C-alpha cells in the first residue's frame, strides 16, 4: 500500500512539473478530475476570495434565514418511511400557542445552515531532515497523536519518509487516519461511489438535491475541495432547472442563495419569488446582492428587508389593503433592480408587470368591498 502511495506521489510530482505548460487554462479546472464533463458555466464555481467573513455577518445571516422560509410541514416531514399514524391532542389556545413556539424553535434548529468557507490548501510542512535515518526502511512511517479529547483538526499526524524527512501528513491521509481512530457516524473512509460523476449526475437528474447535500455534509468538511465541487454542481443544476422548491425551507437554501448572489446569478431565483408571491424574499435577495457587491441601495430598503418577521405558518386567504399597497412598493424596488443589474430583464419585467396588474385589480376589489361595508 505504501509503495502505491509512493508511486502516486511521484506521479503527482511529475504533474506539478508540467503545470507551467497549463498556465493558460482557467483556474476553475483545478476543481475537477479529467473524467468530469466541462461546461461553459464552471467559471462561476470558485469563490475568488474567502466568503466566510461575508457569510458570517449578522445581517447576511438574518437575510438568508428569512429567504429560506420556515415551513413546519416540510421541516418535520417523514423522509424515508411514511408514517400513517396520526396523534390527536386536545389543547387550550395557550397550550396550542406554546406548542407552536416550541415547533418553531425546533425547526429553526433543524434549519441551521452549513458554513460557507474558503477551500483549504494542503500545506505539508517539512519538520526536519534526518540524514542518519536514510535507507533505514523502504516504507513510510505514520505517527498519529491519539490523545483523547482533541479535535481532529488539532491532532498531530506526521510522516517519516525513507530518506529521513519528517513531514506533516497531507490532508487526505489525516482524514483517513482520523476516521480510523475516531470514526464519525455516517462518514466513510473512502469517498462513496455516489459522488462519482456518473452516479452524481443521475441523482441530480432525479432531483435528489437535498439527499446529495446532506450526504456531502457528512462525508466532507466545508473547507474540502470535494465539498466545494459537489455543492457547486448541485447549486448550478438547481438554478439551471429552476427547481428552487426542492431546497426551499431546508438548511441548504441559505448557502444556495448566497452562492447565487455571490456569482451574480440571482435572476431566475428572483423571477421565481415574484411568480410565487414571495416579494419580501425578493427584496431580501436584492439586499443580499447589494451587501455582497456594494451596489447602491436606499437605506429604507435595507431596513425593510432586515425587519423582524414572524414566520408565516398559515397562508392567509386574502391580503389586506395595507399589504397590497406594500407589495406595490416592493415591486418598484424589484423593478429598479431589474433595470440596473439584471441580465434577464425581459422575463423579469414581464413578471413584475403581470403581478402589478393582478395586485392592482385585487386592491381595487378590496377597497370596493370596504366601501360597501361602510368602512373608511
Amino acid at each position: 500500500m505504501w509503495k502505491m502511495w509512493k508511486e502516486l506521489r511521484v506521479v503527482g510530482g511529475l504533474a506539478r512539473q508540467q503545470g507551467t505548460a497549463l498556465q493558460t487554462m482557467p483556474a476553475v479546472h483545478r476543481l475537477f478530475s479529467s473524467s468530469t464533463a466541462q461546461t461553459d458555466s464552471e467559471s462561476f464555481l470558485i469563490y475568488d476570495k474567502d466568503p466566510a467573513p461575508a457569510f458570517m455577518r449578522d445581517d447576511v445571516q438574518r437575510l438568508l434565514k428569512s429567504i429560506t422560509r420556515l415551513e413546519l410541514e416540510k421541516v418535520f416531514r417523514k423522509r424515508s418511511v411514511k408514517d400513517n399514524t396520526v396523534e390527536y391532542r386536545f389543547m387550550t389556545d395557550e397550550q396550542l400557542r406554546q406548542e407552536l413556539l416550541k415547533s418553531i424553535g425546533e425547526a429553526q434548529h433543524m434549519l441551521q445552515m452549513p458554513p460557507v468557507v474558503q477551500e483549504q490548501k494542503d500545506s505539508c510542512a517539512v519538520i526536519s531532515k534526518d540524514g542518519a535515518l536514510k535507507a533505514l526502511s523502504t516504507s513510510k512511517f505514520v505517527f498519529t497523536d491519539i490523545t483523547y479529547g482533541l479535535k481532529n483538526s488539532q491532532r498531530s499526524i506526521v510522516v517519516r519518509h525513507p530518506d529521513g524527512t519528517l513531514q506533516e501528513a497531507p490532508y487526505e491521509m489525516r482524514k483517513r487516519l482520523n476516521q480510523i481512530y475516531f470514526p464519525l457516524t455516517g462518514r466513510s473512509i473512502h469517498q462513496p461511489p455516489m459522488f462519482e460523476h456518473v452516479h452524481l449526475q443521475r441523482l441530480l437528474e432525479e432531483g435528489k438535491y437535498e439527499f446529495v447535500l446532506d450526504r456531502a455534509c457528512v462525508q466532507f468538511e466545508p473547507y474540502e475541495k470535494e465539498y466545494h465541487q459537489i455543492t457547486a454542481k448541485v447549486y448550478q443544476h438547481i438554478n439551471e432547472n429552476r427547481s428552487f422548491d426542492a431546497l426551499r425551507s431546508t438548511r441548504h437554501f441559505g448557502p444556495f442563495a448566497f452562492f447565487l448572489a455571490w456569482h451574480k446569478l440571482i435572476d431566475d431565483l428572483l423571477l421565481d419569488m415574484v411568480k410565487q408571491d414571495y416579494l419580501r424574499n425578493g427584496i431580501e435577495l436584492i439586499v443580499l446582492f447589494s451587501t455582497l457587491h456594494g451596489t447602491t441601495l436606499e437605506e429604507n430598503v435595507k431596513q425593510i428587508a432586515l425587519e423582524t418577521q414572524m414566520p408565516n405558518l398559515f397562508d392567509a386567504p386574502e391580503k389586506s389593503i395595507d399589504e397590497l399597497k406594500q407589495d406595490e412598493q416592493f415591486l418598484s424596488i424589484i423593478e429598479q433592480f431589474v433595470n440596473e443589474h439584471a441580465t434577464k430583464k425581459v422575463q423579469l419585467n414581464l413578471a413584475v408587470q403581470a403581478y402589478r396588474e393582478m395586485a392592482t385589480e385585487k386592491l381595487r376589489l378590496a377597497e370596493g368591498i370596504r366601501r360597501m361595508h361602510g368602512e373608511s
Side-chain angles (χ1 to χ4, degrees), residues 88-112:
Y88 294 97
R89 296 182 187 178
F90 292 98
M91 297 182 179
T92 64
D93 291 343
E94 178 61 22
Q95 289 175 330
L96 178 60
R97 189 181 71 85
Q98 292 297 331
E99 284 295 323
L100 282 175
L101 292 176
K102 180 181 177 182
S103 297
I104 291 173
E106 293 177 356
Q108 290 174 340
H109 177 73
M110 295 175 68
L111 292 179
Q112 183 65 40

Side-chain angles (χ1 to χ4, degrees), residues 169-193:
Y171 179 76
E172 284 300 323
M173 184 184 294
R174 289 182 56 87
K175 182 178 177 181
R176 186 169 66 252
L177 290 170
N178 278 322
Q179 183 63 17
I180 291 173
Y181 287 111
F182 305 95
L184 298 177
T185 304
R187 177 173 292 184
S188 302
I189 295 178
H190 302 289
Q191 180 172 302

Side-chain angles (χ1 to χ4, degrees), residues 59-279:
D59 56 341
V60 171
Q61 286 290 304
R62 289 171 61 184
L63 291 171
L64 294 177
K65 288 177 181 178
S66 182
I67 290 173
T68 298
R69 299 188 65 85
L70 191 152
E71 299 174 9
L72 295 180
E73 184 177 354
K74 186 170 184 178
V75 174
F76 294 111
R77 74 194 185 281
K78 300 291 183 181
R79 297 192 183 187
S80 54
V81 180
K82 291 185 178 180
D83 187 357
N84 294 323
T85 60
V86 179
E87 181 181 357
Y88 294 97
R89 296 182 187 178
F90 292 98
M91 297 182 179
T92 64
D93 291 343
E94 178 61 22
Q95 289 175 330
L96 178 60
R97 189 181 71 85
Q98 292 297 331
E99 284 295 323
L100 282 175
L101 292 176
K102 180 181 177 182
S103 297
I104 291 173
E106 293 177 356
Q108 290 174 340
H109 177 73
M110 295 175 68
L111 292 179
Q112 183 65 40
M113 294 176 285
V116 178
V117 297
Q118 192 174 32
E119 178 189 330
Q120 178 177 281
K121 304 301 181 183
D122 209 351
S123 59
C124 303
V126 175
I127 300 173
S128 66
K129 293 185 178 181
D130 302 313
L133 299 178
K134 186 176 182 180
L136 180 65
S137 174
T138 57
S139 302
K140 297 176 184 177
F141 291 89
V142 181
F143 302 89
T144 305
D145 180 3
I146 59 173
T147 302
Y148 180 77
L150 287 179
K151 295 181 180 179
N152 287 346
S153 58
Q154 299 173 338
R155 204 171 298 282
S156 177
I157 303 178
V158 297
V159 183
R160 176 71 73 177
H161 294 274
D163 63 356
T165 302
L166 184 64
Q167 190 176 25
E168 293 179 352
Y171 179 76
E172 284 300 323
M173 184 184 294
R174 289 182 56 87
K175 182 178 177 181
R176 186 169 66 252
L177 290 170
N178 278 322
Q179 183 63 17
I180 291 173
Y181 287 111
F182 305 95
L184 298 177
T185 304
R187 177 173 292 184
S188 302
I189 295 178
H190 302 289
Q191 180 172 302
M194 64 169 286
F195 293 123
E196 296 175 3
H197 176 68
V198 177
H199 304 301
L200 179 60
Q201 192 63 31
R202 177 175 58 83
L203 290 171
L204 295 181
E205 294 297 334
E206 294 175 358
K208 297 181 178 180
Y209 305 116
E210 188 179 4
F211 168 69
V212 174
L213 292 173
D214 283 342
R215 189 68 180 87
C217 288
V218 174
Q219 183 64 32
F220 306 107
E221 298 296 337
Y223 49 76
E224 289 188 46
K225 176 181 67 175
E226 290 80 5
Y227 180 83
H228 280 251
Q229 173 183 341
I230 291 167
T231 53
K233 285 182 179 179
V234 176
Y235 296 158
Q236 185 180 14
H237 196 277
I238 293 172
N239 190 47
E240 290 174 352
N241 292 274
R242 300 183 181 181
S243 303
F244 306 113
D245 283 336
L247 281 192
R248 187 171 275 123
S249 195
T250 71
R251 63 195 298 251
H252 305 290
F253 196 83
F256 165 66
F258 182 86
F259 177 88
L260 295 183
W262 183 281
H263 297 297
K264 300 182 179 181
L265 297 173
I266 67 171
D267 288 33
D268 289 321
L269 181 56
L270 182 60
L271 178 63
D272 178 78
M273 290 175 173
V274 173
K275 289 181 176 179
Q276 296 209 47
D277 197 9
Y278 298 155
L279 296 189

Side-chain angles (χ1 to χ4, degrees), residues 262-317:
W262 183 281
H263 297 297
K264 300 182 179 181
L265 297 173
I266 67 171
D267 288 33
D268 289 321
L269 181 56
L270 182 60
L271 178 63
D272 178 78
M273 290 175 173
V274 173
K275 289 181 176 179
Q276 296 209 47
D277 197 9
Y278 298 155
L279 296 189
R280 175 173 287 277
N281 291 151
I283 301 302
E284 292 164 345
L285 185 63
I286 291 172
V287 172
L288 175 63
F289 182 94
S290 174
T291 301
L292 296 180
H293 301 288
T295 57
T296 304
L297 202 62
E298 295 181 6
E299 191 62 30
N300 67 318
V301 177
K302 295 182 179 180
Q303 292 176 357
I304 292 174
L306 293 174
E307 285 178 358
T308 302
Q309 295 288 320
M310 184 68 179
N312 187 15
L313 303 179
F314 308 102
D315 294 331

Side-chain angles (χ1 to χ4, degrees), residues 309-362:
Q309 295 288 320
M310 184 68 179
N312 187 15
L313 303 179
F314 308 102
D315 294 331
E318 291 293 340
K319 289 187 176 182
S320 65
I321 293 179
D322 292 337
E323 290 175 331
L324 290 172
K325 290 181 178 179
Q326 189 180 48
D327 284 349
E328 177 57 37
Q329 181 184 3
F330 290 163
L331 287 174
S332 300
I333 297 171
I334 293 174
E335 197 169 33
Q336 180 181 356
F337 172 82
V338 169
N339 294 330
E340 293 178 358
H341 302 289
T343 56
K344 298 183 178 181
K345 290 182 171 60
V346 176
Q347 297 179 25
L348 283 165
N349 279 323
L350 287 174
V352 169
Q353 181 181 354
Y355 189 99
R356 179 176 279 121
E357 293 175 356
M358 179 186 66
T360 301
E361 202 61 36
K362 286 184 177 181

